[in-house]
Amino acid sequence: MKRRQLIAAGSAAAAVAACARAPQATPATAGTARFRWTMVTSWPADLPGLGTAVARLAGMIGRASAGRLEIDIQAGNALVAPFEVFDAVSRGRAEIGHSAAYYWKSKSPATPYFCSVPFGLNAQEMNGWLYHGGGLELWRELYARFALVPFPCGNTGVQMAGWFNREITSLDDLRGLKMRIPGLGGEVMSRLGVTQVNIPGGEIFSALQQGAIDAAEWVGPYNDLAFGLHRVAKYCYYPGWQEPGPTLECIVNQRAFDALPDDLKAIVEVCCRAINDDMLADYTARNQDALKQLVEVHKVELRRLPDPVLAALREQSRQLLEELAASDAFARRVHDSMHAYRERILAWAAVSEVPYYQARS
Ligand code: CA
């Protein structure tokens, strides 16, 4: 009797456990379970490069899964504000999001490393570090604290230094400027006397037009032309020391990801990887056309930042990154991982990309 009761109790417990596992039990019926996810992003839906890549990602996931995982894009401000994407996905308000890790420095000082740090890695090197140099493991470890699964999902390539309404001939010309420049690049600028302003990309044009800011960096010719920044600032400077190859992120709510069968998990991962590559190809192909249009049609004054300005930016960046690493144990690990990789890649770049660029010019 006692044994029977035990067995009955055991069966009941098993049944309760099975019910509790019901969402996770879905993978057993992998072929039929259907999922519809809401996706929030930090960009307008039709923004070339960023917004259009998100649309391609959603379409690709839908096709690859034969409609079993459908993504409903709520871009820009449609559901949440651009800088609320991280929290919205972390808390499960949306299952998936597309943004940039360096917007979340208030969550952890380590986040910028997974997007871009000043004078850091270019796109090709970022992919090497993330996929084969330990970077992605660190990124996953950090985001697990926030119930998020991160995937590299796009890269703009090296950006431009930004738009200015006055010429920058020396460090003195930077002092007193109000500049839209997010993340660590903005902190570096503030050490050189610039007032850092952080506003979403979609607000840059009106802020420059109304004189709320004197300068702004956004991305590069392809995106900047789309926003019409040449109509509200005269000088366009390069190179994009602040963002030499920013990785965009696709973040998935941990619980939503865990509920997927293995094949759909793989589809999310592979499609993100495809877009990571495809976005860079898009920017590489289109930046040149946009640059030509800016210079030849719109008569933009294209300038290189003077060497003494770049040298000061480089030194301030080095100091800032050291301080950042010293402020937080996890940031220290990420910083050390990236910098060890960077030292190694510099030696390779010195006999590959760098001399090749010089040789072909
Ligand atoms: Ca930028």
Side-chain angles (χ1 to χ4, degrees):
M1 188 66 194
K2 214 172 183 183
R3 185 164 172 266
R4 246 200 328 263
Q5 279 171 339
L6 272 177
I7 291 169
S11 302
V16 168
C19 282
R21 283 199 307 270
Q24 282 78 28
T26 312
T29 55
T32 55
R34 300 180 86 83
F35 300 83
R36 189 172 179 87
W37 280 2
T38 297
M39 182 173 203
V40 289
T41 79
S42 298
W43 346 101
D46 54 354
L47 185 71
L50 299 172
T52 52
V54 169
R56 285 201 299 282
L57 174 68
M60 196 182 285
I61 290 175
R63 287 195 306 281
S65 68
R68 286 163 51 222
L69 176 54
E70 287 183 23
I71 309 259
D72 173 32
I73 302 170
Q74 299 289 323
N77 279 307
L79 188 64
V80 300
F83 294 150
E84 287 170 7
V85 168
F86 187 97
D87 282 339
V89 180
S90 176
R91 292 170 188 162
R93 192 167 170 206
E95 288 84 4
I96 186 170
H98 194 267
S99 191
Y102 70 175
Y103 290 141
W104 322 126
K105 188 163 161 280
S106 65
K107 306 291 181 187
S108 160
T111 61
Y113 290 92
F114 302 118
C115 176
S116 194
V117 297
F119 295 95
L121 306 174
N122 68 21
Q124 190 173 335
E125 295 163 350
M126 272 301 284
N127 287 335
W129 178 59
L130 288 170
Y131 292 126
H132 296 287
L136 187 52
E137 283 87 350
L138 287 164
W139 195 359
R140 286 181 179 144
E141 186 181 336
L142 178 67
Y143 273 33
R145 293 184 195 169
F146 305 95
L148 291 171
V149 186
F151 300 93
C153 194
N155 197 305
T156 66
V158 66
Q159 299 201 348
M160 297 292 273
W163 295 83
F164 295 79
N165 58 19
R166 72 175 184 222
E167 215 171 345
I168 305 299
T169 57
S170 71
L171 285 172
D172 286 341
D173 294 322
L174 290 179
R175 290 195 189 100
L177 284 183
K178 275 186 287 184
M179 181 171 188
R180 184 272 180 191
I181 171 168
L184 298 178
E187 289 185 46
V188 169
M189 275 293 197
S190 71
R191 291 177 179 212
L192 295 173
V194 171
T195 300
Q196 181 192 9
V197 178
N198 197 9
I199 53 173
E203 296 170 24
I204 295 174
F205 181 90
S206 57
L208 273 171
Q209 190 177 41
Q210 290 158 13
I213 53 176
D214 312 300
E217 75 83 52
W218 173 223
V219 183
Y222 180 28
N223 282 147
D224 297 1
L225 178 67
F227 272 171
L229 300 187
H230 55 280
R231 293 192 277 134
V232 284
K234 184 176 176 189
Y235 300 98
C236 184
Y237 275 87
Y238 64 93
W241 59 275
Q242 78 287 5
E243 292 186 61
T247 294
L248 284 308
E249 67 180 10
C250 178
I251 49 178
V252 179
N253 177 275
Q254 180 78 61
R255 190 177 299 191
F257 192 68
D258 290 346
L260 293 181
D262 285 348
D263 65 330
L264 291 187
K265 283 180 183 160
I267 283 171
V268 170
E269 183 173 358
V270 170
C271 291
C272 283
R273 189 144 178 170
I275 292 299
N276 194 46
D277 170 71
D278 185 54
M279 188 191 289
L280 181 62
D282 186 25
Y283 274 93
T284 304
R286 300 195 194 279
N287 265 329
Q288 59 195 348
D289 300 333
L291 179 67
K292 188 173 158 70
Q293 205 176 328
L294 285 173
V295 173
E296 293 182 6
V297 179
H298 300 295
K299 309 296 180 196
V300 164
E301 298 280 345
L302 189 63
R303 303 283 161 87
R304 183 180 187 274
L305 284 174
D307 283 335
V309 171
L310 283 171
L313 291 167
R314 192 165 56 240
E315 176 52 23
Q316 292 298 330
S317 298
R318 190 192 62 74
Q319 287 180 26
L320 176 68
L321 290 175
E322 277 302 329
E323 290 166 24
L324 193 73
S327 73
D328 177 83
F330 197 84
R332 174 94 261 163
R333 283 175 61 199
V334 180
H335 176 93
D336 289 352
S337 168
M338 176 181 274
H339 277 258
Y341 174 87
R342 185 173 178 273
E343 287 307 303
R344 295 198 300 276
I345 207 79
L346 283 178
W348 166 235
V351 297
S352 57
E353 310 295 329
V354 176
Y356 173 67
Y357 285 154
Q358 289 164 344
R360 80 172 175 187
S361 63

